[in-house]
Amino acid sequence: MAAPKVLIVTGDAVEALEVYYPYYRCLEEGFDVDIAAGSVKKLHTVIHDFEDWDTYTEKPGYGIEANVAFADIKASDYDALIIPGGRAPEHIRMNEHLPDIVAHFFKEDKPICVMCHGSLVLTTIADVVKGRKLTAYHACKPEVQSMGAEYIDEMDYVDRNLVSGHAWPDLPAMLREFVKQVKAL
């Protein structure tokens, strides 16, 4: 039996922990993982921290390779999807190929993990997200609600195949559920 294939969609300014943690966690499980972006390249990550500010701070992080471009993705080849946060989602959602890729996983009820600002990617597919429940970084609450989804004010939340969380501190709970769903395929 072939290993489950997981697709991570992201771009420059992805939050470092939100791409590295799920990437290595999925590899640890023996999943086949691709990191997709607008183009094949080394992505610049950022480190968001919660210091004594009203919002998070941002510092440069490690680089990570995107090994496939959105234009070359055939969503039906993948069993599950991960959308990390950071600032990448506000930019990648504008890619003409990404909405169809992401919508596929909702329409086919495949496991989806959306972290923090990753919820912004969903604004381009509001028709398939309408009526769903999810959480996200609290500053994304208006966008979640504008899609017709219900914002859940919890650190992590599961709505059927959709696993969502506020930020990187919620990664253990999110990935525990996501991995369980992928293994159940």
Side-chain angles (χ1 to χ4, degrees), residues 27-92:
L27 290 178
E28 178 182 41
E29 288 296 333
F31 302 162
D32 183 6
V33 185
D34 283 326
I35 297 176
S39 63
V40 174
K41 65 179 257 181
K42 185 174 188 175
L43 300 173
H44 303 276
T45 71
V46 295
I47 298 168
H48 287 167
D49 208 349
F50 304 96
E51 299 174 25
D52 190 23
W53 290 31
D54 289 336
T55 187
Y56 55 86
T57 60
E58 183 175 281
K59 300 169 185 80
Y62 300 102
I64 191 165
E65 295 291 330
N67 65 313
V68 64
F70 296 145
D72 298 325
I73 293 294
K74 183 177 175 189
S76 60
D77 289 344
Y78 293 90
D79 300 301
L81 175 69
I82 295 173
I83 307 173
R87 285 184 295 111
E90 68 187 86
H91 300 286
I92 65 171

Side-chain angles (χ1 to χ4, degrees), residues 104-118:
H104 166 82
F105 292 88
F106 279 91
K107 291 175 183 174
E108 298 299 320
D109 287 321
K110 294 179 178 181
I112 303 164
C113 185
V114 180
M115 302 163 214
C116 198
H117 284 78

Side-chain angles (χ1 to χ4, degrees), residues 17 109 122 127 146:
L17 285 172
D109 287 321
L122 307 180
D127 58 321
S146 72

